């Protein structure tokens, strides 16, 4: 205790090899200290804690009981973030991925009519595939084989998909028999509350306020209570409870055999592909920002971090939640000086402590979380700056990938059209030398899935 207290007070890197935290996280080697790491962890938690309320609401749309979804979200985040901290020594927290949770709920369950148990089985299988690909080194070959323009297009397409779901949940975009979609009644309470939340969140983000998205969720929910849109807590027990939420309704409820029998190749493949690209790109970006690369550009323990994420995804499915991602919001903690797994450990502890606020989930309306989906989607559009529009054999696949994800309400469909069109256009225009063998394999898998009646 005295050693830790000295570190906190001095602001200098710990010097004693006998210090447990020093031995675990190599604080001195990474030129950091306990105080800096803890503050960085608090910062990262504040910026990504919105997932605690957003993910359960999305999973509830798929039929998963809300309390169990909340418990699974938090326990999965804690478990995998601890792996990142203690196994990989990365200053990166992990939680159910935005985009993957929407794909799970709206495409796989509601769109294809699968039970949420079968969908969880698909998530578990994708985690196994991801782990195998990582351990064998095939992961890197797949990532290298997919052209950069498609990687960027996938990020943009998922962003539009998430934003479209947010607009739908906010009732700003509604069904219209004549035009398929139309503008909702923006003078109604629901859309007005969502617009309020969107403005507050955008304003706070523009001013770089930590926890902007969480503040927007809580502020919009409070306003919804004031205007009578939702009920308000009747007592302290509706806000805080020492009776932790249970995931008994979802724990090991995944139907692996059901997923295999259904033959959802494209679903499992889509989960795996998005996990591969999103996690690898995010982890590499965050690692570079944290200065964890050596003089040859190699990132220490990157494979361990990817393995931790794969194991975490399997655990998440077992708990009752979706595939996990390293959150780009970790950049805020890294900017505050986070360099080791102690930052991630701090986030994991805070996630666990948030369990006592579980009763609040019943007082968070979808109009309060919808603005977060819109803004997260908007932020993902930044990938478009990496796309060149000079080559028409790139432009069409990119366009189809980006547009068809939201319009078909399916990440898998966007991936399929993007991969297939890229391969065909390159072949037909004599640019076959630009096609990696991975593209032939992936395109063939999607075509076979279409022929077999998959969606």
């Amino acid at each position: 205790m005295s050693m830790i207290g000295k570190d906190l007070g001095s602001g200098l890197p710990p010097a004693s090899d006998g210090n447990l935290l020093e031995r675990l996280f190599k604080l001195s080697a990474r030129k950091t200290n306990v105080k800096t790491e803890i503050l960085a962890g608090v910062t990262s938690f504040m910026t990504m804690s919105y997932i605690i309320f957003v993910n359960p609401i999305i999973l509830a749309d798929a039929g998963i009981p809300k309390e169990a979804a909340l418990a699974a979200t938090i326990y999965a985040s804690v478990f995998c973030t601890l792996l990142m901290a203690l196994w990989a020594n990365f200053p990166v927290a992990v939680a159910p991925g935005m985009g993957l949770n929407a794909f799970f709920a709206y495409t796989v369950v509601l769109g294809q009519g699968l039970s949420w148990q079968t969908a969880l089985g698909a998530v578990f299988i994708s985690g196994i595939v991801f782990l195998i690909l990582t351990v064998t080194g095939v992961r890197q070959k797949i990532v290298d084989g997919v052209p950069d323009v498609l990687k960027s297009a996938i990020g943009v397409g998922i962003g539009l998909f998430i934003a479209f779901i947010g607009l739908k949940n906010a009732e700003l975009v509604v069904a219209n028999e004549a035009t398929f979609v139309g503008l909702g009644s923006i003078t109604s309470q629901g859309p007005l509350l969502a617009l309020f939340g969107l403005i507050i969140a955008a304003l706070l983000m523009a001013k770089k306020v930590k926890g902007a998205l969480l503040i927007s969720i809580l502020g919009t929910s409070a306003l919804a209570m004031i205007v009578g849109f939702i009920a308000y807590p009747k007592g302290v027990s509706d806000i805080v409870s020492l009776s932790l939420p249970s995931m008994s309704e979802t724990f090991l409820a995944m139907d692996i055999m059901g997923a295999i029998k259904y033959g959802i190749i494209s679903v499992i493949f889509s989960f795996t592909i998005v996990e591969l690209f999103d996690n690898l790109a995010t982890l590499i970006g965050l690692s570079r920002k944290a200065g964890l690369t050596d003089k040859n550009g190699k990132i220490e323990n990157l494979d361990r971090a990817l393995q931790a994420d794969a194991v975490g995804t399997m655990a998440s499915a077992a708990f009752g939640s979706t595939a996990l991602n390293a959150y780009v919001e970790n950049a805020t903690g890294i900017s505050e000086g986070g360099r080791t797994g102690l930052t991630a450990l701090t986030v994991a502890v805070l996630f666990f402590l948030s369990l006592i606020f579980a009763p609040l989930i019943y007082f968070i309306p979808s109009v309060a979380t919808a603005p977060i989906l819109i803004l997260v989607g908007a932020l993902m559009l930044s990938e478009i700056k990496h796309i060149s529009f000079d080559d028409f054999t790139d432009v069409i696949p990119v366009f189809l990938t980006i547009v068809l994800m939201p319009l078909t309400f399916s990440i898998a469909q966007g991936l399929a059209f993007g991969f297939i069109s890229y391969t065909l256009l390159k072949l037909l225009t004599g640019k076959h030398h630009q096609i990696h063998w991975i593209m032939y394999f992936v395109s063939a898998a999607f075509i076979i899935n279409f022929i077999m009646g998959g969606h």
Side-chain angles (χ1 to χ4, degrees):
M1 287 292 292
S2 60
M3 179 66 69
I4 295 176
K6 185 177 180 181
D7 292 334
L8 285 168
S10 66
L12 297 173
S16 173
D17 290 335
N19 188 320
L20 176 61
L21 295 179
E22 169 66 22
R23 293 199 307 271
L24 279 175
F25 301 113
K26 302 178 182 177
L27 300 174
S28 296
R30 296 192 181 178
K31 297 180 174 59
T32 185
N33 56 71
V34 174
K35 178 181 179 180
T36 299
E37 294 293 302
I38 291 177
L39 289 177
V42 172
T43 301
S44 290
F45 175 77
M46 286 296 293
T47 55
M48 64 181 289
S49 56
Y50 64 86
I51 195 64
I52 295 172
F53 298 111
V54 175
N55 197 56
I57 288 176
I58 291 176
L59 296 184
D61 287 344
I64 297 180
K66 191 174 286 187
E67 179 183 334
L70 174 70
T73 297
I74 295 176
Y75 285 123
S77 301
V78 170
F79 177 80
C80 194
T81 300
L82 285 176
L83 285 180
M84 282 288 185
L86 303 175
W87 169 245
N89 196 19
F90 260 49
V92 174
V94 182
M98 294 297 294
L100 287 170
N101 51 10
F103 176 57
F104 175 95
Y106 303 112
T107 298
V108 179
V109 176
L110 298 179
Q112 298 189 20
L114 273 69
S115 68
W116 58 264
Q117 292 90 341
T118 302
L120 287 176
V123 173
F124 186 84
I125 295 171
S126 75
I128 295 176
V129 173
F130 189 32
L131 180 61
I132 294 172
L133 294 177
T134 300
V135 172
T136 59
V138 176
R139 163 193 53 79
Q140 189 65 53
K141 290 184 174 62
I142 293 177
V143 173
D144 292 342
V146 176
D148 290 338
V149 289
L150 280 186
K151 292 175 189 174
S152 297
I154 290 169
V156 176
I158 292 174
L160 287 180
F161 180 56
I162 293 173
F164 185 60
I165 292 169
L167 292 167
K168 173 180 173 292
N169 289 354
E171 296 181 4
L172 291 169
V173 171
V174 296
N176 185 299
E177 290 185 5
T179 60
F180 290 105
V181 292
L183 182 66
S185 176
I186 59 173
T187 56
S188 299
Q189 271 193 341
L192 282 175
L193 286 166
L195 287 172
F196 169 81
L198 183 61
I199 293 170
I200 292 298
L203 179 64
L204 294 176
M205 288 180 68
K207 291 183 173 294
K208 302 187 184 304
V209 175
K210 295 171 185 175
L213 300 184
L214 179 62
I215 293 171
S216 171
I217 291 174
L218 297 178
T220 304
S221 298
L223 181 60
M225 295 173 194
I226 292 172
V227 301
F229 185 75
I230 58 171
Y232 56 86
K234 298 296 193 297
V236 176
S237 61
D238 285 340
I239 302 174
V240 178
S241 174
L242 295 180
S243 178
L244 301 184
S246 170
M247 56 182 181
S248 59
E249 294 177 279
T250 57
F251 184 64
L252 296 181
M254 55 190 180
D255 185 1
I256 298 174
M257 291 309 299
I260 294 173
K261 289 177 181 177
Y262 187 82
I264 44 178
I265 298 173
S266 67
V267 171
I268 296 171
F269 190 75
S270 298
F271 274 126
T272 305
I273 286 294
V274 175
E275 288 173 52
L276 281 171
F277 295 150
D278 198 353
N279 276 305
L280 189 62
T282 303
L283 285 171
I284 289 175
L286 292 172
S287 300
R288 287 174 178 167
K289 187 175 180 65
L292 302 182
T293 55
D294 61 20
K295 59 182 180 181
N296 298 317
K298 184 179 179 182
I299 299 171
E300 182 184 0
N301 291 340
L302 177 60
D303 280 344
R304 284 193 175 194
L306 289 166
Q307 291 164 18
D309 186 80
V311 173
T313 289
M314 289 186 281
S316 182
F319 293 157
S321 189
T322 56
L324 302 176
N325 274 350
Y327 270 55
V328 72
E329 283 86 347
N330 284 287
T332 59
I334 291 173
S335 296
E336 293 293 326
R339 296 292 180 269
T340 75
L342 182 53
T343 293
L345 177 62
T346 302
V347 178
V349 171
L350 292 173
F351 263 117
F352 183 77
L353 292 177
S354 68
L355 284 166
I356 66 174
F357 295 99
L360 270 179
I361 191 64
Y362 296 103
F363 298 95
I364 305 293
S366 60
V367 293
T369 56
I372 311 308
L373 297 176
I374 297 170
L375 284 176
V376 169
L379 292 173
M380 293 178 73
L381 294 183
S382 63
E383 281 295 311
I384 204 166
K385 66 186 177 184
H386 301 300
I387 299 172
S388 172
F389 293 91
D390 296 332
D391 187 341
F392 213 63
T393 59
D394 288 341
V395 172
I396 296 302
V398 163
F399 174 75
L400 291 175
T401 301
I402 293 174
V403 170
L404 287 178
M405 283 189 188
L407 292 187
T408 63
F409 225 60
S410 170
I411 292 174
Q413 298 286 35
L415 286 173
F417 276 88
F419 276 75
I420 294 171
S421 63
Y422 181 92
T423 304
L424 287 177
L425 282 173
K426 294 295 183 182
L427 276 175
L428 295 173
T429 55
K431 298 180 179 180
H432 55 85
H433 60 281
Q434 296 182 18
I435 310 173
H436 193 280
W437 67 266
I438 286 292
M439 292 299 294
Y440 289 113
F441 175 79
V442 174
S443 298
F446 277 124
I447 291 172
I448 292 171
N449 189 66
F450 278 133
I451 294 173
M452 294 174 63
H455 298 289

